[in-house]
Structures are given as C-alpha cells and as structure tokens.
Amino acid sequence: MQATVITITSGKGGVGKTTTAANLGCALALRGQKVVIIDGDIGLRNLDIVMGLENRIVYDAVDYVEGRCKLKQALIRDKRAPELYLLATAQTRDKTAMNPEKMSALCDELRPDFDFIIVDSPAGIEQGFETCLAPADRCLVVTNPEVSSVRDSDRVIGLIESKEKDRTTHLIINRLSAARVKKQDMLSVEDIQEVLSTAIIGVVPEDESILSSTNKGVPVALGGKGAAAVAYSEIARRLMGEDVPLQPLQSGGFLQRLFGRS
Amino acid sequence: MITIKGLRQGLLIILGEGAWHDTLRELEARLVNSANFFKGGLVALDVGAQSLAADDIERARMLLSSFEVRLGALITQDAGTAAAARSLGLGPTLPAPADPTPARRTAVAAVRATEGVEPAEAGLPATSVSEPLDGGTDGILARRRVRSGQVLRHPGHIVVIGDVNPGAQLIAGGDIIVWGKLQGSAHAGALGDTGAIVGALVMQPSTLRIADTQLIQTGKERRRDAGPRVARVNADGIEITIWQEK
Ligand SMILES: Nc1ncnc2c1ncn2[C@@H]1O[C@H](COP(=O)(O)OP(=O)(O)OP(=O)(O)O)[C@@H](O)[C@H]1O
Ligand SMILES: [Mg+2]
C-alpha cells in the first residue's frame, strides 16, 4: 500500500476546508479505504471537534514529531468506519512546531499503511500552507461561489503550480445555492471554471445539515442522506478513480439545474 | 548612466562610474521617476569595478527598500567589494526559485511569474535575456494564464499568450500584448514611454496605465468591449479603440 496524500486548501478562511477534510475522510473510509486525516491547522484544533473526537486526544502530531509518543499512540481510531484515523494538531501557539520537512517526513512514515492521507490546511498562504502543501500528491482547492474566495483560490492555484513538484489540482465548489445563482448574487459554476481553469471534482451545495452535524460531531458523510452527503460520497468515488459524471442528465436533480443550461 | 535589464529572476540595474554618492542620487532619481515599475521588484545591482565597503552597499539597499525594491544580488569585478557584499548576504546572482517547472514552459522564453522571480532557463546564462536582433526590441513571452497575486515585470515588452486574471499584474517598460482576456492590471511604458500601447483580445483591465496616464473607467465599457482592443495615450488621456491594421 502506498497512500495518496491529498491536501485540502483554499487561501481564504472559513470556506469549508475542515468540513471537506472530515467528510471526504469519512466517505473514503466507508468505501473500504484506509484513511488518516491530519489536522494541519496548528493552534486551532478544529478537525477533532468536527469529527466529534476531541475527548479522545491524548497525543497529537507535534507530540509524535517531538518524540513524546509513538506514532500509533497519536493515531486516534474512529470506530464509525472500518479504517479511519485522525492525527490531531497541537494547541501550542508555536507554529514552528511543524514545518514542510517534518510534515513530509510524517506523511512518508504513514504512507505504507494507508490508502489516503488527507491534510487539512489552515487559511492563508503562509508557513502553515507551505507545511501542508509539501507532502501533497494532489490538492483539492475549496472555493465558495463568491468573488473574493475565487480570487484567493486563483492565487493558491498559482502558488501550487509554481512548485517544482507536479501535482494534480482539483476544485471543490462549496456552499453553492442554485437559487442564489439564479438571482445572480452568486457566481455560477461556469463563471468559476472560466477564471480558475481548473477541473472541478465536485460541487457541494449549501446544506443546513452541515451545521448541525458539525455541532454534533457527526460528519454528514457518515450516513447522512442530504445533498451534501451525496456530493461528498461522489467526490470520494472520483478520488478512488471511478468515473462519476458531474452532471446526471436524467435525474432532474440539483446538479442538472446547475449545469443544464442547454 | 544607469541601465536596466530584465533577468529571468528579476531586474538587473547596471550602475555607471563615478562617486558612489552621485551614483546613488542618480539611482534615486530613476526610482522616483518610475516608482511603479520598480515597486515590489527583486534587483541585482551591477557596480562594475567600483570599490565599495559594506556601508556603501547597505546604503544602496536602504535606498532600494524605501521604494519597496529588494536587493537580491551584487555583481562586481572588485574582490573587496564582493567580500563586503557577502558579509551582507549578497552573492553575485539572484536566487533562482527552488521550483522550476520545465514541463509547463516553452523553449523560447516562457516565463513563470512568481512575484516576478524567474528561474534560470537551462542552457542560458542566469543573468541575461537574449539580446534583440536587427532593431527588434527586448521582451518576454509568457505562454500561460497569469493568476491572481502573480507579477510579470520587464523593462522591455510583455506578451502573454493566455488570460491575465483579476489580481494579476503586468508591468512593462515597453508594450503589453495579451493574446487572451486582460482582467488584471496592466502598466505599459512604466519607465516613461508615453508611446507604449496595451493590446488585448478581450480588454477588461481592472486598472490600465501607460507611462503616467491612468485609464479612467466609467464601468460601462467593460461589457461592451468584446473583441480585440488597443489602448494608447492621446491628448485627452488613454483612448481604447478597435484593433485593426491601418
Ligand atoms: N456546504 C455547506 N453548507 C452549509 N454550511 C457549510 C458548508 N460547508 C461549510 N459550512 C460551514 O461553514 C463554516 C466554516 O467551515 P469550515 O470550518 O469547514 O471552514 P474552514 O475553511 O476549515 O475554515 P478555517 O479557514 O477557519 O479553517 C462552518 O460553520 C461550517 O459548518
Ligand atoms: Mg479549518
């Protein structure tokens, strides 16, 4: 086994990186993949709350990197899926506790034992972004359908492209609302695609169940039936190499309303 | 006499002979006159055979940084000056970014703009772009999309084959031609040439300047201007017209 490292990033804050990381991790694990999600947002500790695992943390990634525990002790097993693990981040203010080299070394150590390593990055394009990008084989750039978010994603994609390592970069459009696109107070999928010219791997609709699931610590991908849960499981299938078309033509469903302009 | 050239990694400023104090005065005058051209740039200074102490170099660095220009290298023929430069952490070449992406670049002169910092092209000296032949003028060709936050800067012309996204910046001493959609900001003639032009297949710049003249946009033209356009300075400011051979 040799894991694919997927880094979830965005530039702009609050667009849904952590939500995406948690849900894709769950969706992949439910499909039989061996998954570890790494919280790369040092000091904030968000992912474990979204996953509902905050009470289980004894050691975190920084504890391991600094030699205070074994890797096995830092990996928190999530029993809701066959093989799903969380590597929490430290609450330390010292952001230099992780750097690109340490993150790459950590991922290299995990690679042989997993199918997917998902890294949740902090907002911004500074050190924390570089740290999370370093080990990535592929990147998922999360963007909201609004001008400022798309602008930041463009910047991030430019930075990813400027690195020596060639990575596959895909776009996830999060929080799309068909009604608001129609009212023209939101960018459409086509608008975003035109500026970013990056392939879209999934469109996640605005979905109220996300908020309550976050509060409960149960990601919607763990059995939810809503539109967002469906979107995450389709993205997971695409990540596993399945050819799942973005526009189901006959369903008359949400995506068709989005894409079906012809 | 001060000469400015484009490097793959940034700009080369060749300083003339003479007392260091006067040279810095002249440099300051150039920086004042073309502040927007230099702002945010990375520079290598060629000081020729002058003998300079670390303090002298430090003064040049301070002067540049007061115009938001980073001094990245010092080129000298004098051993003592080279040692002084090294004591300030300055070598003879601009640092190539650690990340060239050969696959995405064409053989001619494809340029990757990460803050205007260009990696050395294999087989070409790291410190020069090719000299123009037979009366042509110097420039760079970027065959790709220029994204938000990226800056292309050159004392000659800039040609982009691809779109220039909102938030991207093109700054040329000469002309700017975008074979694509120009939505970022463009400044042609940024070293003072009022005869410079900006051309684009789709002309929707966020800001457009030629030499010291800024385009005043009413907001109406943005939708209407489909098709190739060219911007020039005339008596009333910048005029944008349909691009056709005359
Ligand atoms: N598809 C969605 N529908 C509705 N709400 C969403 C959706 N995706 C995310 N949210 C909400 O948006 C908020 C921000 O999400 P999240 O924490 O995942 O963003 P982030 O990019 O990780 O933020 P940060 O940059 O601070 O790390 C959360 O309250 C989350 O519940
Ligand atoms: Mg987050």
Side-chain angles (χ1 to χ4, degrees), chain A residues 11 38 46 50 54 67 109 112 126 146 159:
Chain A
I38 303 179
N46 252 326
V50 173
E54 69 216 280
E109 228 165 309
E126 289 83 33
E146 44 174 77
L159 290 172

Side-chain angles (χ1 to χ4, degrees), chain A residues 17-205:
Chain A
K17 293 179 293 297
T18 302
T19 307
T20 305
N23 279 288
L24 290 183
C26 293
L28 285 164
L30 287 180
R31 302 192 153 264
Q33 302 299 297
K34 203 170 171 192
V35 179
V36 54
I37 315 177
I38 303 179
D39 191 342
D41 198 351
I42 283 203
L44 281 178
R45 250 196 195 177
N46 252 326
L47 189 56
D48 49 277
I49 300 172
V50 173
M51 300 278 297
L53 296 172
E54 69 216 280
N55 298 330
R56 302 263 317 276
I57 299 174
V58 180
Y59 296 109
D60 57 49
V62 174
D63 288 323
Y64 170 66
V65 166
E66 294 181 349
R68 286 188 287 274
C69 68
K70 298 208 177 81
L71 187 49
K72 263 202 174 137
Q73 295 175 293
L75 285 170
I76 299 157
R77 168 101 196 268
D78 187 332
K79 299 191 187 81
R80 295 170 293 187
E83 296 270 21
L84 177 61
Y85 296 83
L86 169 72
L87 198 44
T89 190
Q91 268 169 320
T92 159
R93 276 165 191 275
D94 176 17
K95 306 227 168 183
T96 59
M98 269 298 197
N99 62 27
E101 294 73 36
K102 288 177 187 168
M103 187 61 104
S104 297
L106 175 62
C107 287
D108 284 344
E109 228 165 309
L110 291 164
R111 270 180 211 271
D113 297 321
F114 290 91
D115 297 303
F116 286 97
I117 300 171
I118 295 180
V119 184
D120 178 25
S121 344
I125 51 173
E126 289 83 33
Q127 162 92 38
F129 162 75
E130 295 289 344
T131 296
C132 292
L133 179 59
D137 301 310
R138 45 192 308 179
C139 294
L140 298 181
V141 176
V142 180
T143 196
N144 289 163
E146 44 174 77
V147 171
S148 62
S149 173
V150 170
R151 184 78 64 96
D152 281 6
S153 298
D154 192 36
R155 176 135 208 205
V156 159
I157 293 167
L159 290 172
I160 296 169
E161 285 174 350
S162 76
K163 304 295 179 197
E164 182 168 15
K165 187 166 169 185
D166 255 319
R167 302 179 165 98
T168 325
T169 302
H170 281 105
L171 210 59
I172 291 181
I173 299 175
N174 188 30
R175 309 196 72 161
L176 194 86
S177 144
R180 288 186 54 199
V181 172
K182 214 166 186 182
K183 268 171 52 193
Q184 298 200 322
D185 57 358
M186 216 180 230
L187 297 175
S188 70
V189 172
E190 289 88 351
D191 294 338
I192 298 168
Q193 174 92 71
E194 210 213 314
V195 174
L196 298 180
S197 69
T198 298
I200 295 170
I201 198 168
V203 179
V204 181

Side-chain angles (χ1 to χ4, degrees), chain A residues 154 162 166 194-195 197, chain B residues 99 104 145 147-148 165 181:
Chain A
D154 192 36
S162 76
D166 255 319
E194 210 213 314
V195 174
S197 69
Chain B
D99 47 9
R104 272 189 214 96
R145 178 176 295 264
R147 294 187 182 274
S148 177
N165 278 2
K181 192 189 256 190

